[in-house]
Amino acid sequence: MRKSLTLSWRFLTSKLHQPLPLNRRESQQLLTRLNDSFNRNLDSQYPQGLGQSEHSPDHHINSLLKSPLFGDQRPQHLSSSTRGIETTQNAPLVRDLMFAVEQPVEYLKQQVAGGKANIGTAKLALDNQMKKTLASPSLDPKESMKISEIGSLIVNWLWSSGQYERMEFIKDRTFTARLMPFLVAEGQYKPVWEWLQRSCTSLCQPPTKEARLSFHKDIGAMLKALLQAEVTYGLGLESAIQMFMTSYKSMRLSSHTSIVIAQRIHASAGAYLTWEFASHGASANLGDHAIQDLERSVDHWASNAMIAPYQALIDLSHPRAPNASRALKWISMVEASDGQLAKGNRQSNVRIGLKTVEVLLTQGSTKEAARVMKVLQTMFASEVGSDRELPDPHESEEESTLRSLNMLLAT
């Protein structure tokens, strides 16, 4: 995140005053630094002389082969790449490993049929199936995921094993994050809505306050994963916003869900949708109604300190009529409070400030953009990675060129 903010800062600074191109000497210095950095990273990831230490490749492979996830069942069909290793000592385990990688759906079916399936094997199958899907050049990823039907397979297994009702699996966020894309691609929304609704009943509430807090965050993580999948593999951002609003309204109608619980569950998903809108709102072609729904929802899920900046961000990101008024008001309030209003959410506020500069530059308000950059540099120097003096918008062209050259040589 720090690197991203620094790059955004440098990009917007260059929009105010374009830097000069690198000369031959500077280009060679840059290339040398890149090569040195690459070699250092290579040495740190693959140091020489590991021998048989715990960090050696052999140790890593052996730990995989000894994993309890792989039983003794022998697959019936193997690729030619696996037949040559059947005579080795670990042949059965190697065959199971290759079978799980090459045919994850069939592997999971075998585990379910043999009563050996658990959340661990399901996560492994989901991960391998996703890798297989993304590696296939012949099919659209969504279509490939739909054809696999691994999401439906797992839902049926959860039901038959009694886990569907107990919903203990929701506590495993990696599992729900891997499962949601396949359920969305297959159009299997019903189980997820049932889990969300059941999570609000007294039957599913843990006994202690700490456990309930953790459980609500787990539900929120599943909801966020569902919306991320809807944006990527479903009907897009507008559909995800509608699902988010439906979820919130449904939970508020439940007698078991207070305003605080509903806010806790929806906070992470709401923030995701807002930043997704800020990043891709223009290309998503959202209708005004969806944008208004997202803006009004902020009051219900954001913390008090982030309501104003999130609403300002939505105004800034409007695909047809971006407006910086609310953002400028918020930045002035942060400046007047000496940064106290941004305490605890510094990076988010910097991103909003950079978005404000971007909109102002697009609208030709260079002087106002430079003022905002000055505020960011003064109050968020560590986040934007700049402790240098910002250029004066009233500088002459010669002064601007000299300043840009000095900045370049100091890099």
Side-chain angles (χ1 to χ4, degrees):
M1 178 63 77
R2 164 71 185 278
K3 183 180 292 185
S4 174
L5 292 177
T6 302
L7 292 175
S8 298
W9 169 267
R10 291 178 179 174
F11 171 74
L12 292 172
T13 301
S14 70
K15 295 279 284 186
L16 287 169
H17 292 277
Q18 296 291 332
L20 297 178
L22 295 174
N23 58 33
R24 183 180 182 84
R25 178 178 61 83
E26 293 164 343
S27 297
Q28 184 60 46
Q29 290 175 344
L30 176 60
L31 180 60
T32 301
R33 287 197 296 269
L34 290 174
N35 281 330
D36 291 343
S37 176
F38 173 78
N39 288 328
R40 283 196 301 271
N41 280 294
L42 187 65
D43 290 340
S44 66
Q45 293 296 322
Y46 303 99
Q48 297 181 359
L50 285 176
Q52 295 300 318
S53 72
E54 63 177 1
H55 301 292
S56 69
D58 289 342
H59 184 278
H60 180 64
I61 292 297
N62 288 332
S63 68
L64 286 176
L65 295 177
K66 296 175 182 177
S67 172
L69 294 177
F70 305 108
D72 295 328
Q73 285 195 339
R74 310 290 179 86
Q76 299 300 317
H77 303 287
L78 297 174
S79 68
S80 57
S81 62
T82 64
R83 291 172 187 152
I85 55 178
E86 291 184 3
T87 58
T88 65
Q89 183 178 0
N90 291 322
L93 291 176
V94 171
R95 287 200 298 271
D96 283 347
L97 175 62
M98 296 305 298
F99 184 54
V101 170
E102 294 181 350
Q103 301 183 51
V105 177
E106 294 303 316
Y107 164 76
L108 183 59
K109 286 180 179 179
Q110 281 194 2
Q111 296 297 305
V112 171
K116 297 180 180 180
N118 54 41
I119 296 297
T121 54
K123 286 194 295 186
L124 178 68
L126 287 166
D127 186 44
N128 286 332
Q129 185 61 36
M130 178 60 77
K131 290 177 180 176
K132 183 178 179 181
T133 295
L134 297 178
S136 174
S138 58
L139 284 177
D140 172 72
K142 179 180 177 180
E143 186 64 22
S144 177
M145 293 162 69
K146 181 179 179 180
I147 293 174
S148 75
E149 297 185 339
I150 191 172
S152 300
L153 172 63
I154 290 176
V155 168
N156 291 334
W157 165 67
L158 289 172
W159 180 268
S160 63
S161 62
Q163 298 182 73
Y164 191 102
E165 297 289 328
R166 296 194 301 270
M167 299 204 318
E168 288 291 320
F169 60 87
I170 288 181
K171 297 177 182 179
D172 192 324
R173 300 185 188 183
T174 302
F175 172 67
T176 54
R178 291 179 182 178
L179 177 60
M180 291 304 117
F182 288 96
L183 293 182
V184 168
E186 296 173 34
Q188 292 282 0
Y189 295 96
K190 183 180 177 181
V192 187
W193 287 119
E194 288 182 355
W195 295 332
L196 288 171
Q197 290 170 0
R198 281 181 53 80
S199 67
C200 299
T201 66
S202 58
L203 296 175
C204 293
Q205 296 298 317
T208 66
K209 181 178 179 180
E210 292 76 12
R212 285 194 295 271
L213 175 62
S214 179
F215 184 62
H216 296 153
K217 291 183 177 179
D218 293 335
I219 299 167
M222 183 177 71
L223 175 62
K224 180 182 176 181
L226 172 67
L227 301 182
Q228 289 174 321
E230 182 67 13
V231 169
T232 307
Y233 301 106
L235 299 179
L237 180 58
E238 186 160 356
S239 175
I241 292 174
Q242 292 174 354
M243 292 170 67
F244 178 77
M245 298 302 297
T246 299
S247 173
Y248 182 83
K249 292 175 182 177
S250 175
M251 287 195 181
R252 287 298 297 118
L253 290 174
S254 170
S255 59
H256 299 284
T257 309
S258 65
I259 294 176
V260 174
I261 292 176
Q263 179 187 33
R264 187 182 298 151
I265 291 174
H266 289 80
S268 179
Y272 160 72
L273 289 176
T274 302
W275 286 112
E276 185 69 19
F277 172 66
S279 301
H280 306 292
S283 59
N285 195 28
L286 265 66
D288 290 338
H289 182 69
I291 298 174
Q292 290 169 3
D293 279 347
L294 181 60
E295 184 175 353
R296 283 194 289 262
S297 76
V298 174
D299 285 324
H300 302 299
W301 55 262
S303 63
N304 291 334
M306 289 301 295
I307 290 176
Y310 274 137
Q311 289 177 336
L313 179 61
I314 293 172
D315 281 354
L316 288 168
S317 308
H318 197 289
R320 292 171 290 279
N323 190 327
S325 299
R326 243 198 288 211
L328 288 171
K329 181 179 178 181
W330 171 251
I331 291 169
S332 297
M333 291 171 62
V334 171
E335 185 179 18
S337 71
D338 197 25
Q340 289 302 306
L341 284 176
K343 189 176 181 180
N345 298 286
R346 293 176 63 84
Q347 290 188 339
S348 294
N349 278 276
V350 171
R351 292 175 69 185
I352 292 170
L354 294 175
K355 184 72 174 180
T356 304
V357 174
E358 181 183 332
V359 170
L360 291 171
L361 288 174
T362 302
Q363 296 175 346
S365 302
T366 307
K367 183 177 179 180
E368 195 68 31
R371 185 186 74 81
V372 175
M373 293 281 275
K374 183 67 175 178
V375 173
L376 295 177
Q377 182 192 36
T378 302
M379 297 191 169
F380 305 99
S382 61
E383 281 78 12
V384 299
S386 174
D387 54 1
R388 305 168 189 160
E389 182 182 355
L390 276 176
D392 186 341
H394 300 294
E395 282 182 337
S396 67
E397 184 176 354
E398 181 181 1
E399 291 172 327
S400 171
T401 301
L402 289 173
R403 182 183 295 277
S404 297
L405 179 60
N406 288 333
M407 289 178 64
L408 178 64
L409 293 177
T411 303

